[in-house]
Structures are given as structure tokens and as C-alpha cells.
Amino acid sequence: MIEQTELIVNKWLYQPPLKSLDTGELTSLITLDVMKKRTAEKKGLACRFTCEFIFEKQTLLEYVAGDTYVIDPGDVIDKNELRTMVANCYMKFKEKFDLRKLGTVLENKTLVAFDENRYDLDPILLLLNE
């Protein structure tokens, strides 16, 4: 059995810009960190996404949130299932961003689309299925 936990926001550091966003370039980036977890009865996978919005060398927002999957030890995860797990974590990350951005200068902005195919999942599968 595979069970997904609730997304936990570890950091939401918002600093309003000193001038209008129309006067300069706003950039954003997203990173993914994955960690294996294991107890005597369960194994798991933790996905942590980090997003930064930068405007004229000033960080407007640093947003970090993580999600975990708890997996029975006998379950073997394949690459497609792992892609789905990561995509589900990102969807929850994006939904939380869409709610929290309201009332900020970023309320009309969206997160960069996340492409889980960019990441080499083979090392993660090896860790998860050992």
C-alpha cells in the first residue's frame, strides 16, 4: 500500500518589491530534492520543492514545501509510478502556492511548469527498491 501525506510548507518568505514589477524582469526557478526514508515497518520517499521569484536581484519569494509517500516494504515502485508520485507532489505544491500568493504582487503569476521527465529517476528507484 502507498499512502501520500499532507504537504508541509517549510518556508514562505515573501518580501514585496521596492518598485513595480512592470519596470524590470521577474524570474523564477524550481528545484526538487528527493530523499529516501525507512523504518522497520515502512519505507518512504520525501519530495521537497523549492521555488524562488527574483526581481532585479531581490528575492521576492522563497517557498519551500515537502511531501512524503509511505510505502509498504514489499511494494516495488516502477519508473511510471515514481513519475506519478513526483507529479502529485508538485501538484500539491502548486495548489498551495496558488492559494498563498493571493494578496501579493505575484497573484497573477504562475509557477514554472514542472517536467518530471527532466530528472533521472533511476538512482531514486534503486534507493527506494533496495
Side-chain angles (χ1 to χ4, degrees):
M1 181 175 88
I2 300 172
E3 180 183 339
Q4 188 176 16
T5 64
E6 183 177 334
L7 182 84
I8 296 177
V9 175
N10 303 102
K11 183 184 254 185
W12 179 272
L13 183 58
Y14 172 70
Q15 298 180 354
L18 301 175
K19 45 186 165 171
S20 171
L21 292 184
D22 298 334
T23 64
E25 183 180 344
L26 176 69
T27 59
S28 67
L29 60 101
I30 291 185
T31 58
L32 166 67
D33 296 305
V34 178
M35 184 174 66
K36 173 183 134 179
K37 294 186 165 200
R38 187 172 295 275
T39 67
E41 300 85 31
K42 300 280 183 180
K43 61 184 178 180
L45 179 73
C47 296
R48 183 179 68 199
F49 286 95
T50 302
C51 174
E52 282 187 276
F53 280 88
I54 301 166
F55 178 68
E56 295 187 348
K57 299 181 183 177
Q58 175 194 2
T59 299
L60 299 183
L61 175 67
E62 185 178 2
Y63 166 40
V64 180
D67 202 356
T68 304
Y69 277 92
V70 179
I71 305 162
D72 287 335
D75 290 349
V76 176
I77 306 300
D78 65 18
K79 193 179 278 192
N80 288 331
E81 193 163 20
L82 182 56
R83 273 193 187 104
T84 300
M85 292 163 78
V86 171
N88 288 344
C89 291
Y90 180 74
M91 186 176 5
K92 288 169 65 175
F93 179 80
K94 184 181 179 317
E95 286 172 359
K96 187 71 77 171
F97 170 80
D98 289 341
L99 287 174
R100 294 187 88 170
K101 73 179 181 179
L102 300 175
T104 73
V105 296
L106 301 172
E107 69 181 298
N108 295 324
K109 305 299 178 191
T110 60
L111 290 180
V112 174
F114 181 74
D115 180 8
E116 65 273 2
N117 294 315
R118 286 184 348 167
Y119 295 89
D120 182 9
L121 300 178
D122 290 332
I124 299 167
L125 282 173
L126 288 173
L127 283 175
L128 196 55
N129 290 321
E130 63 180 23

